[in-house]
Amino acid sequence: LSHMKAPKFAKPNTEEQDQPWAFQAKEFLRKVLVGKKVRCEQDYSKTLEDGKKMNFFSICSMNISVD
């Protein structure tokens, strides 16, 4: 999902720690989106230097923002 910022999990086998709320953010999105029917629209696509194409999407049928 484009423009979605969530706390990052630590890389495995490092001394690094998860950012605060990383697990809670993942669980929130999983509960709200997984298994639900949603309508998506492509925001834009980008071709990377290695020739791979990345597509960026928005969820249009529900607002998952929380104030």
Side-chain angles (χ1 to χ4, degrees):
L1 299 173
S2 57
H3 308 295
M4 181 167 291
K5 303 289 183 198
K8 305 278 189 262
F9 285 96
K11 294 177 182 163
N13 303 319
T14 66
E15 297 296 317
E16 198 176 311
Q17 292 189 0
D18 294 342
Q19 290 183 343
W21 303 101
F23 180 78
Q24 291 87 343
K26 181 191 90 157
E27 284 300 300
F28 171 78
L29 288 176
R30 186 184 66 77
K31 288 177 183 176
V32 170
L33 298 175
V34 172
K36 304 289 190 312
K37 193 173 206 177
V38 295
R39 184 174 57 87
C40 298
E41 288 183 3
Q42 184 175 1
D43 288 338
Y44 59 96
S45 63
K46 178 180 179 179
T47 303
L48 304 177
E49 292 175 4
D50 61 4
K52 293 181 182 175
K53 189 173 182 178
M54 289 183 65
N55 296 296
F56 298 85
F57 293 90
S58 290
I59 294 175
C60 304
S61 60
M62 65 172 63
N63 181 356
I64 58 171
S65 300
V66 175
D67 293 324

